[in-house]
Amino acid sequence: MHRIKYTKLTPEQIGSRLSAAANGPASASPLSEVFAGKSLKIVLDNGPVLTYRFTDRSRLSLAEGDAAAVQAGYGALTLDRLVLFSHMVPRTQRGYTVVVDQETNLATAFEVWFSGYEDNREVQRQVYHGYVEQAGTPAPSARHGITNRIEGKGFYWKQDTGVETLEFYATVLYSNFVELTRFGGELSFCAPSDYIKISDDKYIYSRVEAEFSGTMTTYLLDPNRAEQIGVRLGFDDSDTLEYSMFRGHGEWVGQIAQFEPFGDAGTRIVLGNRPAPTTKGARSVYRPLKTNAIMTKPQVEAAIAKNITLFAANNAMAGNKGPVSGFLAGKELTLRYDNGQAYSYRFDDIQKLRWRREGDGAWREERYESWESAPGVIMFGHLLSGAPDHDAFSIVVDVDHALVTCLHGTMGTPYMANESAVTTMFGVVDMKGVTPPTYRRHQFTDELVGRAMTWNYRPGLTSMHLYSTPHSLSWIIFLENGAGGLEWSGPASYVKIRDEIYLAYWLEEACNGTLGTILINMRTMRNCGVDYGAGPNGLRLSTVGAHARHAGRFNVLKYFSPKA
């Protein structure tokens, strides 16, 4: 997923490429002449005073405070009474994207710049709110401001550039976007985002693709008419500068739940015990590869040699786990998978089993745990001792239908030695009293796609899953007041076991490397499952158990259909 290789551009390389931006952004739609021949003085709270003179629809002069005026190219688009214009400051790596409400004379400006972070290509931004000065008129007291009024909304957008996206405003700090044209729509990505209210029917949205290309997208949107105007600034995977304006139309795809108290309009971000960023441009950003260890193969082997933790009783993710099942205790069975593998089991008690590959002589003993999600539907997990990649199985057996699905986890990928990999194996159950089917199997499904569900693992620990595409899952961490906070995504898959019972996995790829596997029962609204991962503290196989709540659904399946 997060394997797009972006060059670590130097400030000099960025400066050279930005010379093309001096003429202003490209635009597939005609640029507006609304400010041509006019002058504006924009006063920004805790920011600069920007004095503009617009020569025509593509050239302006700008004076920042008392500094001398400079000439620059720009572009402007309108959405009803609102104007969005954008320009860079010549001979710098800075620029501005400004939104002006011609009716209220309120303004919001995004100052943007490159080479302000250790990854120089990542666009930085500082948001200022203010007003357009009117001679002889007192300054207005009102301002645009941050909001949660579009938190939870989702849209499909098609721009005049031909680009199509799904965009989910899932939290007050982050958004989730699916590139239907650029990357084929398989996976969703997450980015730190700004949400600013202009009025009940107009909003500003922006995101910076932190940890990816670093590109910044900013647009005005009208949720009633599903219209947008905006600008993109950044470098693509070939290091080509993209500085372009766009006009888009779309469709509303749904609204998922908000969990702030009634009356909380989101006019401040409640970070709780996390300190609020104070430096210019600072924001809460999830940078998983900078906060999780990236280990070599020898480091992983040394850590595992020291410690393997199996189903620790104090695991925070298992506070609401169901009781350990005794269904399998005393039973013998063979699981035959369609890839030719077959494993025989003897379950000696509720936490000890023996297994062997069919045809092998020796049995291996393992510690396991199992849970009965529904009558006759058992999930259990165990390691495969002695396997070269420290393999683990998360297995769902449907005894009534003699079907089995296994999520086979292994440790190590070409990218990280402490990153899990997973394959899905379908098959049948061979045991006394049941007849295995010849053709029927569990199946991959898209029935969960678009759903959002909260998972409470124990008091004080709740997150939300957004099953954003047929091949990815996003997880959302709540802020202190119940608003959605940080968010990230990973590859995933979904298997239908029975009606309303699904086996899902997600892989925290390019993150901490964990493989999460859960069996979801939509009728009891709880899950059971296994986390598998490795790190400096060794290898772990951990129980997962949580209570669920429905949190809404985006109607997006039609956007993932095969295209002619």
Side-chain angles (χ1 to χ4, degrees):
M1 175 179 179
H2 304 91
R3 308 306 188 189
I4 305 166
K5 292 186 177 181
Y6 293 107
T7 307
K8 296 290 186 181
L9 295 173
T10 66
E12 294 74 22
Q13 289 172 319
I14 290 172
S16 174
R17 288 166 171 79
L18 279 175
S19 60
N23 294 323
S27 180
S29 294
L31 295 172
S32 173
E33 298 182 356
V34 63
F35 287 150
K38 297 181 181 179
S39 296
L40 297 181
K41 185 176 183 180
I42 300 175
V43 181
L44 301 171
D45 301 338
N46 303 310
V49 174
L50 305 178
T51 303
Y52 287 101
R53 180 177 177 276
F54 298 89
T55 306
D56 52 33
R57 71 173 186 175
S58 62
R59 299 294 299 175
L60 59 74
S61 68
L62 164 68
E64 299 176 273
D66 296 328
V70 296
Q71 309 295 314
Y74 82 102
L77 293 173
T78 61
L79 186 65
D80 291 341
R81 67 185 187 274
L82 304 175
V83 184
L84 181 148
F85 68 92
S86 181
H87 66 90
M88 300 301 290
V89 178
R91 295 176 294 280
T92 75
Q93 296 188 20
R94 297 188 304 113
Y96 288 93
T97 293
V98 182
V99 173
V100 173
D101 186 333
Q102 297 181 95
E103 184 176 288
T104 64
N105 289 313
L106 297 182
T108 291
F110 290 78
E111 183 181 3
V112 299
W113 64 95
F114 293 91
S115 302
Y117 175 65
E118 61 184 76
D119 193 342
N120 298 299
R121 67 184 297 144
E122 183 179 297
V123 177
Q124 305 297 296
R125 66 88 183 96
Q126 177 70 26
V127 185
Y128 300 106
H129 304 297
Y131 61 94
V132 179
E133 187 176 83
Q134 303 293 304
T137 301
S141 58
R143 294 291 186 272
H144 301 155
I146 61 172
T147 184
N148 64 11
R149 294 295 300 141
I150 57 171
E151 180 192 5
K153 288 179 171 51
F155 285 88
Y156 158 81
W157 294 112
K158 184 172 183 178
Q159 300 168 3
D160 52 10
T161 58
V163 171
E164 297 177 67
T165 61
L166 291 171
E167 300 185 11
F168 309 127
Y169 313 137
T171 92
V172 296
L173 293 178
Y174 259 69
S175 62
N176 186 290
F177 60 101
V178 181
E179 297 273 11
L180 295 173
T181 46
R182 288 190 181 96
F183 300 123
E186 282 191 289
L187 301 172
S188 61
F189 300 84
C190 298
S193 302
D194 300 298
Y195 303 97
I196 297 166
K197 180 181 174 181
I198 296 175
S199 65
D200 279 335
D201 63 352
K202 300 291 189 296
Y203 297 88
I204 305 171
Y205 161 84
S206 81
R207 70 169 179 263
V208 174
E209 294 170 23
E211 302 298 278
F212 300 106
S213 69
T215 297
M216 181 172 180
T217 301
T218 307
Y219 57 77
L220 282 165
L221 75 130
D222 179 333
N224 284 318
R225 294 183 295 187
E227 295 182 2
Q228 61 175 187
I229 56 170
V231 61
R232 278 177 61 87
L233 173 66
F235 295 94
D236 65 17
D237 55 354
S238 66
D239 300 333
T240 300
L241 176 67
E242 180 180 5
Y243 185 33
S244 62
M245 304 197 75
F246 58 85
R247 185 176 292 277
H249 295 80
E251 298 176 2
W252 180 77
V253 297
Q255 169 82 48
I256 61 174
Q258 294 177 259
F259 294 96
E260 297 93 326
F262 290 114
D264 185 341
T267 55
R268 67 187 185 96
I269 303 296
V270 183
L271 292 175
N273 59 8
R274 288 194 291 258
T278 56
T279 58
K280 181 178 178 179
R283 67 195 308 171
S284 296
V285 180
Y286 190 25
R287 301 191 186 277
L289 286 179
K290 294 179 177 61
T291 54
N292 294 284
I294 301 175
M295 301 173 68
T296 64
K297 180 75 169 176
Q299 288 172 328
V300 169
E301 294 300 329
I304 293 175
K306 291 180 180 178
N307 184 50
I308 296 175
T309 302
L310 298 178
F311 306 109
N314 61 351
N315 178 32
M317 301 286 282
N320 285 325
K321 75 182 184 74
V324 174
S325 172
F327 182 94
L328 295 173
K331 292 182 171 62
E332 296 187 16
L333 55 84
T334 298
L335 304 180
R336 301 186 185 281
Y337 297 108
D338 294 342
N339 62 4
Q341 297 183 46
Y343 295 84
S344 296
Y345 286 90
R346 292 177 177 173
F347 297 90
D348 296 323
D349 59 36
I350 64 171
Q351 293 185 322
K352 184 176 76 173
L353 62 76
R354 285 173 289 161
W355 67 272
R356 67 182 179 185
R357 281 182 181 265
E358 192 172 50
D360 290 351
W363 291 86
R364 294 181 180 271
E365 185 176 300
E366 306 289 355
R367 165 84 158 81
Y368 82 103
E369 285 206 1
S370 68
W371 310 273
E372 189 170 4
S373 176
V377 179
I378 314 299
M379 183 175 192
F380 69 99
H382 65 89
L383 290 179
L384 280 73
S385 297
D389 296 317
H390 309 287
D391 303 34
F393 281 172
S394 292
I395 297 171
V396 174
V397 172
D398 182 347
V399 176
D400 294 348
H401 300 96
L403 295 175
V404 62
T405 297
C406 175
L407 297 174
H408 180 187
T410 53
M411 187 54 56
T413 70
Y415 308 98
M416 292 168 55
N418 58 317
E419 181 174 83
S420 305
V422 60
T423 57
T424 303
M425 301 190 298
F426 297 108
V428 297
V429 181
D430 189 351
M431 64 182 293
K432 186 177 180 180
V434 300
T435 302
T438 301
Y439 302 107
R440 183 180 176 185
R441 297 293 186 270
H442 296 151
Q443 300 286 332
F444 289 115
T445 182
D446 57 15
E447 291 179 9
L448 286 179
V449 173
R451 285 186 183 270
M453 298 180 69
T454 66
W455 294 105
N456 177 247
Y457 302 97
R458 61 175 171 79
L461 180 58
T462 302
S463 67
M464 183 160 66
H465 284 176
L466 173 58
Y467 307 123
S468 45
T469 85
H471 305 287
S472 60
L473 177 156
S474 302
W475 53 95
I476 295 164
I477 307 303
F478 289 105
L479 298 178
E480 190 176 71
N481 67 337
L486 297 179
E487 179 184 16
W488 209 243
S489 293
S493 79
Y494 313 103
V495 174
K496 184 172 183 176
I497 303 298
R498 290 185 186 174
D499 286 345
E500 308 303 328
I501 300 178
Y502 304 94
L503 175 62
Y505 82 75
W506 72 95
L507 180 57
E508 301 196 15
E509 184 183 86
C511 182
N512 60 33
T514 295
L515 170 64
T517 64
I518 54 174
L519 184 63
I520 302 168
N521 187 324
M522 303 289 282
R523 295 181 179 176
T524 62
M525 293 301 285
R526 71 181 307 163
N527 70 21
C528 56
V530 177
D531 269 355
Y532 165 69
N537 294 324
L539 183 71
R540 72 182 189 283
L541 206 62
S542 305
T543 302
V544 175
H547 298 148
R549 292 183 183 181
H550 289 295
R553 186 169 194 168
F554 295 121
N555 297 312
V556 294
L557 273 180
K558 69 178 183 179
Y559 302 106
F560 300 112
S561 300
K563 297 181 180 180

